[in-house]
């Protein structure tokens, strides 16, 4: 329904299906995880996260309330970012109503040993980043990524606790998606 091509840093082609235009936002679904990964990279660069090897329990103390012998205690940001936390997958692809219930899932694998697609993990990374940065994830994204790229018009859905979803529900305009693509290309 929408196609954009950039050449040498400039938009060379934009195509919109009938009734759509550059001002219309697109639900980017799981591409939201790529935006989250940029934000985690910024947090690493700024020292907000000291390392991907940091234990997630540092930022999600709810883990410390779980069984101290459980492998969940050893999960790092690296495990979360690579979806190798080891939790048993949920019946639904969406995070649970209370995102911290995802921490209580049974462990199916040793952390770091097996990839398993997991929206809940991405959502929890977003929460961990917001806590580490001391601001809501939406604000962090605005100030650290979107504002510098000139992205002002976006929507980002949140859970019932006002945590924006790190896994999905981000809506951006096509030119803004192209700007993010250029960011990756330019490293």
């Amino acid at each position: 329904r929408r196609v954009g091509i950039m050449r040498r840093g400039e938009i060379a082609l934009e195509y919109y299906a009938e009734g759509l235009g550059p001002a219309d936002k697109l639900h980017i679904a799981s591409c939201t995880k790529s935006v989250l990964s940029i934000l985690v990279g910024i947090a690493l660069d700024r020292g907000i996260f000291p390392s991907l090897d940091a234990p997630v329990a540092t930022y999600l103390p709810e883990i410390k309330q779980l069984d101290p012998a459980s492998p969940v205690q050893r999960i790092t940001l690296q495990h979360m970012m690579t979806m190798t936390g080891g939790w048993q997958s949920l019946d639904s692809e969406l995070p649970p109503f209370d995102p911290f219930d995802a921490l209580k899932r049974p462990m199916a694998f040793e952390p770091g040993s097996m990839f398993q697609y997991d929206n809940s993990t991405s959502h929890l990374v977003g929460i961990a980043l917001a806590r580490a940065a001391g601001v809501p994830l939406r604000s962090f994204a605005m100030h650290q990524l979107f504002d510098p790229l000139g992205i002002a018009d976006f929507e980002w859905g949140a859970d019932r606790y006002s945590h924006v979803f790190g896994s999905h529900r981000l809506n951006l305009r096509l030119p803004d998606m192209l700007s993010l693509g250029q960011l990756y290309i330019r490293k």
Side-chain angles (χ1 to χ4, degrees):
R1 299 175 31 154
R2 300 161 220 209
V3 176
I5 297 174
M6 296 200 63
R7 184 174 179 181
R8 295 186 182 111
E10 301 293 326
I11 296 175
L13 172 79
E14 286 180 87
Y15 168 79
Y16 299 91
E18 189 172 329
L20 296 174
D24 292 308
K25 288 180 275 307
L26 169 69
H27 175 66
I28 66 167
S30 285
C31 289
T32 303
K33 294 173 184 72
S34 296
V35 173
L36 178 65
S37 73
I38 295 170
L39 297 172
V40 168
I42 291 169
L44 287 165
D45 186 59
R46 305 268 193 281
I48 294 167
F49 284 146
S51 161
L52 286 178
D53 294 325
V56 175
T58 304
Y59 311 103
L60 301 175
E62 293 83 356
I63 290 175
K64 294 175 184 174
Q65 299 168 5
L66 302 174
D67 178 1
S70 170
V72 73
Q73 303 295 336
R74 296 190 302 277
I75 293 175
T76 65
L77 287 169
Q78 176 78 22
H79 297 138
M80 301 281 275
M81 292 299 297
T82 59
M83 294 188 185
T84 60
W87 283 289
Q88 182 175 336
S89 67
L90 296 169
D91 293 334
S92 166
E93 287 189 22
L94 299 177
F97 196 60
D98 181 338
F100 300 108
D101 283 348
L103 297 171
K104 300 172 187 170
R105 292 176 286 169
M107 297 297 289
F109 309 102
E110 182 64 27
S113 68
M114 176 82 67
F115 169 83
Q116 187 165 289
Y117 193 81
D118 187 357
N119 281 314
S120 294
T121 297
S122 297
H123 188 41
L124 290 167
V125 168
I127 294 169
L129 176 52
R131 287 178 174 179
V135 296
L137 185 61
R138 178 184 172 85
S139 296
F140 186 79
M142 282 175 44
H143 297 295
Q144 300 296 324
L145 179 63
F146 294 157
D147 287 350
L149 290 177
I151 298 172
D153 187 15
F154 68 95
E155 297 166 356
W156 201 342
D159 67 18
R160 67 182 285 209
Y161 302 101
S162 301
H163 304 292
V164 295
F165 287 101
S167 54
H168 66 299
R169 296 232 185 127
L170 180 58
N171 300 297
L172 294 170
R173 299 173 316 119
L174 177 61
D176 298 331
M177 285 296 294
L178 292 170
S179 293
L180 288 169
Q182 280 297 115
L183 185 68
Y184 273 108
I185 288 170
R186 293 180 178 165
K187 299 180 183 182

